[in-house]
Amino acid sequence: MSQQSAQELSGPGDATDLQSTGTTPPAIETMALTRRFGSLTAVNSMNLTVPTGSIFGLLGPNGAGKSTTIKVLTTLLPPSSGTARVAGLDIIKQPRAVRSHLGYIPQAVSAEGVLTGYENMQIFAKLYGVHHSVRKERIDEALNLLSLSEFAQTQVKKYSGGMTRRLEIAIALVHRPPLLVLDEPTVGLDPTARRAIWERLHALRDQNNMTILITTHQMGEAEGLCDQVAIMNRGEIAALGPIPELKAALGPDATLDDVFIAHTGSTIEEGGFADAARTRRTSMRRE
């Protein structure tokens, strides 16, 4: 994430400092959420509920509206009509509070390679509004959670791809958000690094009741991580539910690939996910 993007996502303080409503609303709830770009409707009257504490996958071909949905939910884009609530907070009426409740990790590499992991963490902790009195504690906590403590003083350009992605997750966690949004969290990583990310995402959900929203081009990743998925196509939700139920609706031998094709009319590769992998690999080579 660029420093500018982090500033856009920063709020008045830690999510944990905000007053609790006494109830646990859905992590995400959209109401006829719509986003248009001129004559193009990128997201069309979306109604979606993501339960608190779940790992939820957003799937779909290029142009389906996934990235636009994420940008609207993270308040980086305003909706054209409709609205959404994040942790019970309205994205239109309470954008700063919404931003303090989430951590956002884009697809492209965001950590600065010439800085150490700790220095990257310091910069983003300040941008996220983490108070200086607890900043070191929060940084150390996040680095330890992602098994990066021993590499804290190493320049990020010397990290492997998997280590860099783990650092980016640590950055997004430094203000303790209840919602983590990841765009293609493991694209371009080798199987070992990918499994390490999966393990840490499961740990975050299990230990902290954190809600995690991901987009992914890997059906195996969706099946291994997600409690539920929504398949988007042409700006609308074409299928929604637990993966076993979506597969069972097509027959006893159906795969998630079959579900994807049935609801989008294209395979993963035809849908453009290979482009995402190339983008990530290109970004990783910039240092």
Side-chain angles (χ1 to χ4, degrees):
M1 188 189 308
S2 68
Q3 292 186 20
Q4 179 181 359
S5 296
Q7 287 174 317
E8 290 176 306
L9 285 170
S10 64
D14 293 338
T16 52
D17 295 333
L18 296 175
Q19 184 176 1
S20 172
T21 62
T23 60
T24 304
I28 298 171
E29 188 176 14
T30 70
M31 292 75 74
L33 187 68
T34 300
R35 173 67 197 195
R36 303 183 186 90
F37 297 94
S39 60
L40 173 65
T41 301
V43 180
N44 187 21
S45 297
M46 174 186 285
N47 293 303
L48 176 67
T49 299
V50 176
T52 296
S54 66
I55 300 180
F56 193 97
L58 197 58
L59 314 178
N62 272 4
K66 305 183 305 299
S67 294
T68 299
T69 298
I70 286 177
K71 289 178 181 178
V72 173
L73 291 174
T74 55
T75 76
L76 296 177
L77 281 176
S80 301
S81 62
T83 190
R85 288 192 288 264
V86 173
L89 301 165
D90 191 282
I91 62 171
I92 298 174
K93 299 176 181 178
Q94 301 165 286
R96 287 179 63 82
V98 167
R99 290 193 289 269
S100 71
H101 272 67
L102 60 85
Y104 171 51
I105 305 174
Q107 183 187 127
V109 173
S110 56
E112 293 295 334
V114 296
L115 302 179
T116 67
Y118 196 90
E119 289 168 338
N120 272 278
M121 294 288 292
Q122 284 182 311
I123 290 172
F124 282 90
K126 292 178 183 178
L127 293 175
Y128 275 122
V130 178
H131 195 271
H132 66 84
S133 64
V134 296
R135 197 172 294 152
K136 183 179 186 302
E137 174 190 344
R138 298 291 179 81
I139 291 173
D140 289 343
E141 176 186 80
L143 287 172
N144 182 63
L145 183 63
L146 275 299
S147 300
L148 288 171
S149 298
E150 64 179 299
F151 305 103
Q153 302 304 325
T154 301
Q155 285 183 303
V156 172
K157 66 181 179 181
K158 298 178 182 178
Y159 284 16
S160 67
M163 289 170 62
T164 301
R165 203 54 168 167
R166 278 155 48 202
L167 176 64
E168 291 168 339
I169 295 174
I171 286 170
L173 296 177
V174 74
H175 62 306
R176 294 182 178 174
L179 172 63
L180 184 62
V181 181
L182 302 100
D183 190 4
E184 302 286 357
T186 65
V187 67
L189 301 184
D190 62 62
T192 300
R194 190 178 304 129
R195 282 193 296 271
I197 297 296
W198 292 359
E199 290 173 0
R200 282 158 180 82
L201 291 178
H202 273 297
L204 286 172
R205 191 271 297 277
D206 296 341
Q207 295 171 14
N208 305 313
N209 198 37
M210 176 177 284
T211 306
I212 301 173
L213 174 66
I214 71 168
T215 68
T216 179
H217 72 289
Q218 300 177 55
M219 297 299 98
E221 179 166 68
E223 292 206 60
L225 279 176
C226 299
D227 304 307
Q228 295 187 60
V229 297
I231 298 176
M232 292 189 67
N233 192 40
R234 299 181 180 180
E236 299 182 352
I237 296 178
L240 170 66
I243 293 173
E245 292 183 11
L246 295 177
K247 293 194 295 186
L250 292 184
D253 298 321
T255 66
L256 188 54
D257 292 276
D258 295 329
V259 175
F260 188 95
I261 293 169
H263 292 284
T264 67
S266 64
T267 65
I268 303 302
E269 289 75 16
E270 290 170 344
F273 282 119
D275 293 336
R278 284 193 293 270
T279 298
R280 177 71 179 168
R281 286 193 295 268
T282 299
S283 297
M284 293 295 292
R285 291 197 296 266
R286 72 178 186 173
E287 301 298 346

